[in-house]
Amino acid sequence: PNRWTVPAAADTLGYQVVDLARECGLILDEWQAWILQQALRVDDPGQWSGFEVGLVVPRQNGKNAIVEALELAGLVLWPAMFGRPWVASHSAHKFATASEHFLRMRQLIEASDDVRRRVKTIHTANGKESITMADGSRLKFVARTRGASRGATDDLIVFDEAFDLPAATVGAMLPSLSARKNPQVWYTSSAPHHDSVMLHRLRDRAVKPDSGRLCYFEWCNPSS
């Protein structure tokens, strides 16, 4: 990437994520695997070093596969590693995009006998898509509204198409992470527009000497 920053950490869980994705038929490119290895670094107590992850990649270049591998690991690997069920919300600017992502997640799960046996239910009702595992872990696909996920308790929130992400939506959804011990929020997008407030805020923080617990990866024109 032209720009990137990652907090220091002792280890990474990214390798396990890449291996699980491969078992389900998702073969990640080297750069995709690298993103997961960097973004899923953990410190000594087993906490994510990065609370926020920004990923800006041109369209049709494979960023969704990274999120698919991430969410698959959340359903299959994280509950045993962290000792409790894992819950996530995935949203996009257009709900049809989130629905397409749901279908890809379903295909990955069904490609592995071991993973498929762990599933309790897959809800396919339009607008209420979700995947629930036997241990209680759950991946929800939500509409991007100010009330989305309000009252829920999430370990992960993925804001896809973050070029069109209102600050009010972030403000409404992020409190759902506060009750979890090891939460993470991902912002994935193609290039920001001039009015992409949240992405520009992330980018401004990423170029500062101390970007805190922000992981940020951006592919862009060298002059931008």
Side-chain angles (χ1 to χ4, degrees):
N2 303 72
R3 291 186 176 89
W4 67 281
T5 182
V6 178
D11 201 358
T12 178
L13 300 182
Y15 295 102
Q16 292 96 316
V17 178
V18 174
D19 290 344
L20 175 63
R22 183 182 300 110
E23 291 176 15
C24 295
L26 177 58
I27 311 301
L28 297 173
D29 291 340
E30 183 176 347
W31 75 272
Q32 295 168 320
W34 180 82
I35 292 292
L36 289 164
Q37 291 154 12
Q38 301 304 313
L40 298 178
R41 289 186 180 190
V42 289
D43 57 24
D44 290 331
Q47 299 289 305
W48 304 125
S49 64
F51 167 61
E52 293 175 288
V53 180
L55 177 60
V56 180
V57 182
R59 290 184 180 277
Q60 305 299 318
N61 275 274
K63 68 176 173 60
N64 288 333
I66 297 171
V67 178
E68 291 162 20
L70 169 72
E71 293 172 346
L72 185 65
L75 291 172
V76 177
L77 299 179
W78 297 167
M81 288 186 178
F82 299 118
R84 54 179 171 77
W86 175 92
V87 181
S89 293
H90 181 110
S91 75
H93 166 51
K94 296 181 179 179
F95 191 76
T97 304
S99 294
E100 291 174 6
H101 186 86
F102 163 74
L103 292 176
R104 290 193 297 271
M105 290 299 300
R106 185 176 179 180
Q107 291 169 355
L108 285 176
I109 287 171
E110 293 176 346
S112 167
D113 291 338
D114 177 60
V115 175
R116 187 173 63 250
R117 283 193 292 265
R118 303 186 191 198
V119 175
K120 180 180 179 181
T121 56
I122 296 180
H123 292 284
T124 59
N126 187 34
K128 296 183 179 180
E129 290 90 340
S130 67
I131 299 168
T132 303
M133 309 300 282
D135 64 7
S137 297
R138 188 157 60 111
L139 173 59
K140 304 165 291 180
F141 298 84
V142 301
R144 186 171 290 170
T145 64
R146 291 190 62 174
S149 209
R150 182 167 291 171
T153 303
D154 293 315
D155 297 281
L156 170 71
I157 292 177
V158 175
F159 293 112
D160 191 15
E161 298 181 324
F163 63 84
D164 196 327
L165 177 62
T169 299
V170 178
M173 294 184 70
L174 286 192
S176 71
L177 301 172
S178 62
R180 301 307 247 188
K181 294 181 180 179
N182 194 25
Q184 209 173 38
V185 54
W186 283 57
Y187 307 85
T188 65
S189 184
S190 53
H193 300 171
H194 73 279
D195 57 351
S196 299
V197 175
M198 292 306 304
L199 275 186
H200 285 297
R201 288 179 182 175
L202 283 175
R203 192 187 210 205
D204 290 345
R205 288 165 51 199
V207 299
K208 291 181 179 179
D210 182 8
S211 54
R213 295 185 62 204
L214 171 65
C215 295
Y216 186 81
F217 312 93
E218 178 183 305
W219 277 261
C220 62
N221 292 327
S223 60
S224 65

